[in-house]
Amino acid sequence: MGKILVTGGAGFIGSHTVVELQNVGKEVVVLDNLSNASEKSLERVSAITGKKVPFYKADILDREALEEIFSKEDISAVIHFAGLKAVGESVAKPWEYYENNIAGTLTLVDVMRKHGCKNIIFSSSATVYGDPAFIPITEECPKGVCTNPYGWTKSMLEQILSDIQKADNEWNVILLRYFNPIGAHKSGTMGENPNGIPNNLMPYITQVAVGKRDHLNVFGNDYDTHDGTGVRDYIHVVDLAVGHVKALKKIEEKAGLKIYNLGTGQGYSVLDIVKNFEEANGVKIPYEITERRPGDIATCYADATLAKKELGWEAKYGIKEMCEDSWRWQKNNPNGYQ
Ligand code: NAD
Ligand code: WQD
């Protein structure tokens, strides 16, 4: 096995995955255009693993840059995180999302095949299930209607990568459907670093806890759930990172085309998260109930037994550790990597 190219490797999930890859002795090369990340995350990775992280500041849309990387480095597989991921922004800027995520991936995959590298692990999302046909969601659950362009990029890219694998079975394609990643590395030196006002629940909560925001807005308490607030499957980012190491092993064994949910199988409501965060960290999170957020669904959690059966992977960390680790990162780094 040659080196592993991690696109988007300076980002939240990518940087945590680089740690786990280096920890098991994989040779990693990172590519990121730093549009939503800081190179400092890679310094933090090195401080944890004691290994250098070879880094290319490059864009997946830049064919020449990709050609150069694939010519210089002996890349045998790609873990493809690079992409834009803000749901609301994707509604306002659909062209930018389709261009970056879809055209970017098409360019990447074309350069890969020209260099004989036909192994890819792709960051997909539970968002491809739309409003899920059943709960808990297995991989058999039909893909649904996405409520925003971001979600459609994931759904379409799954189709594109599947078609490419079907046409040429030298390809090994693993589509990983993440549920809601939160938490941070135990060291408290790496974590999620959103620009501006966080869209996602946990970074919003940690910013309230650190005093950057006054209170949490809870988007609706009239859903059909145990307390009326939305239920999600939160998964520790380190568990997710380890899932990629396991998927890579599957790729090395010639996976063909595989799809796995990466979740814990446990659903927590917004108010469950607030309560767990307060209890785990001894901090108060003031909140107000507001209107539902357009496009949100009531309930979404995984049946993750396929990943357990076929990858030997299962989430290890519970909600308490997710809350503690998110808070340790935010408390130690109130301004993220700045
Ligand atoms: P992130 O924004 O922290 O990481 C994505 C990285 O890709 C960033 O570092 C960004 O600078 C880089 N990037 C974006 N466009 C690029 C381009 N054209 N060329 C090179 N680099 C580019 O996000 P994340 O949370 O770590 O997510 C990683 C992947 O997982 C994304 O594809 C995301 O859509 C997917 N995902 C995330 C979540 C989540 O809730 N965080 C859930 C499901 C799926
Ligand atoms: C979780 C719950 C909100 C913020 C999104 C994307 C999805 C995936 C993961 C990439 C919901 C509620 C939130 C707030 C709140 N990303 N909430 N107040 O919406 O499940 O998934 O991130 O693929 O595609 O859609 O995650 O963290 O935004 O929300 O009440 O300030 O918290 O309504 O019930 P979501 P989230």
Side-chain angles (χ1 to χ4, degrees), residues 267-280:
Y268 289 98
S269 73
V270 178
L271 294 180
D272 290 336
I273 296 296
V274 169
K275 186 162 156 277
N276 275 281
F277 189 91
E278 291 182 334
E279 282 174 9

Side-chain angles (χ1 to χ4, degrees), residues 222-243:
D222 56 353
Y223 286 103
D224 184 16
T225 62
H226 65 273
D227 62 16
T229 66
V231 168
R232 298 290 183 272
D233 185 337
Y234 296 92
I235 174 166
H236 197 294
V237 66
V238 172
D239 275 330
L240 203 56
V242 171

Side-chain angles (χ1 to χ4, degrees), residues 50-88:
K51 292 176 188 158
K52 278 212 173 108
V53 184
F55 174 61
Y56 291 87
K57 182 171 187 291
D59 199 296
I60 52 169
L61 282 158
D62 182 347
R63 183 179 286 274
E64 271 177 36
L66 293 176
E67 287 285 354
E68 192 192 321
I69 296 168
F70 277 87
S71 302
K72 269 200 195 150
E73 310 277 358
D74 170 30
I75 309 286
S76 59
V78 176
I79 306 184
H80 179 32
F81 295 102
L84 296 173
K85 65 157 184 179
V87 167

Side-chain angles (χ1 to χ4, degrees), residues 54-312:
F55 174 61
Y56 291 87
K57 182 171 187 291
D59 199 296
I60 52 169
L61 282 158
D62 182 347
R63 183 179 286 274
E64 271 177 36
L66 293 176
E67 287 285 354
E68 192 192 321
I69 296 168
F70 277 87
S71 302
K72 269 200 195 150
E73 310 277 358
D74 170 30
I75 309 286
S76 59
V78 176
I79 306 184
H80 179 32
F81 295 102
L84 296 173
K85 65 157 184 179
V87 167
E89 185 184 62
S90 81
V91 176
K93 297 181 172 175
W95 188 88
E96 283 76 4
Y97 271 67
Y98 289 117
E99 165 83 347
N100 190 77
N101 293 4
I102 295 191
T105 302
L106 287 174
T107 309
L108 171 70
V109 164
D110 193 32
V111 175
M112 285 175 69
R113 63 180 181 173
K114 285 185 175 145
H115 288 263
C117 173
K118 296 185 178 177
N119 296 313
I120 189 167
I121 296 171
F122 175 64
S123 298
S124 188
S125 169
T127 200
V128 302
Y129 295 113
D131 196 350
F134 53 83
I135 300 274
I137 305 170
T138 67
E139 294 79 356
E140 300 288 306
C141 183
K143 283 166 73 181
V145 175
C146 298
T147 52
N148 57 77
Y150 164 74
W152 281 120
T153 69
K154 292 296 174 192
S155 190
M156 290 177 190
L157 282 167
E158 282 201 353
Q159 187 68 46
I160 290 168
L161 292 170
S162 302
D163 289 342
I164 288 171
Q165 196 283 332
K166 281 176 200 148
D168 173 0
N169 64 17
E170 285 178 10
W171 275 94
N172 295 296
V173 171
I174 298 188
L175 310 174
L176 296 179
R177 293 177 177 160
Y178 314 153
F179 282 66
N180 288 56
I182 59 170
H185 192 264
K186 290 273 162 217
S187 62
T189 61
M190 299 172 54
E192 195 169 1
N193 186 29
N195 283 326
I197 303 171
N199 299 300
N200 295 115
L201 180 64
M202 184 54 86
Y204 204 102
I205 289 180
T206 60
Q207 291 200 4
V208 172
V210 85
K212 286 182 117 177
R213 320 243 160 237
D214 177 64
H215 69 276
L216 171 72
N217 292 309
V218 175
F219 299 145
N221 67 350
D222 56 353
Y223 286 103
D224 184 16
T225 62
H226 65 273
D227 62 16
T229 66
V231 168
R232 298 290 183 272
D233 185 337
Y234 296 92
I235 174 166
H236 197 294
V237 66
V238 172
D239 275 330
L240 203 56
V242 171
H244 292 75
V245 176
K246 303 279 187 184
L248 194 59
K249 185 159 168 282
K250 188 82 182 169
I251 289 256
E252 287 164 5
E253 294 162 359
K254 294 240 127 270
L257 173 64
K258 295 282 181 186
I259 303 178
Y260 300 106
N261 286 339
L262 296 184
T264 65
Q266 280 271 345
Y268 289 98
S269 73
V270 178
L271 294 180
D272 290 336
I273 296 296
V274 169
K275 186 162 156 277
N276 275 281
F277 189 91
E278 291 182 334
E279 282 174 9
N281 298 315
V283 213
K284 200 83 197 128
I285 305 297
Y287 67 84
E288 280 172 23
I289 308 291
T290 61
E291 291 289 288
R292 289 184 177 195
R293 182 172 66 179
D296 274 355
I297 54 175
T299 304
C300 175
Y301 59 90
D303 177 327
T305 49
L306 190 66
K308 184 173 180 189
K309 191 168 147 233
E310 295 193 7
L311 301 178

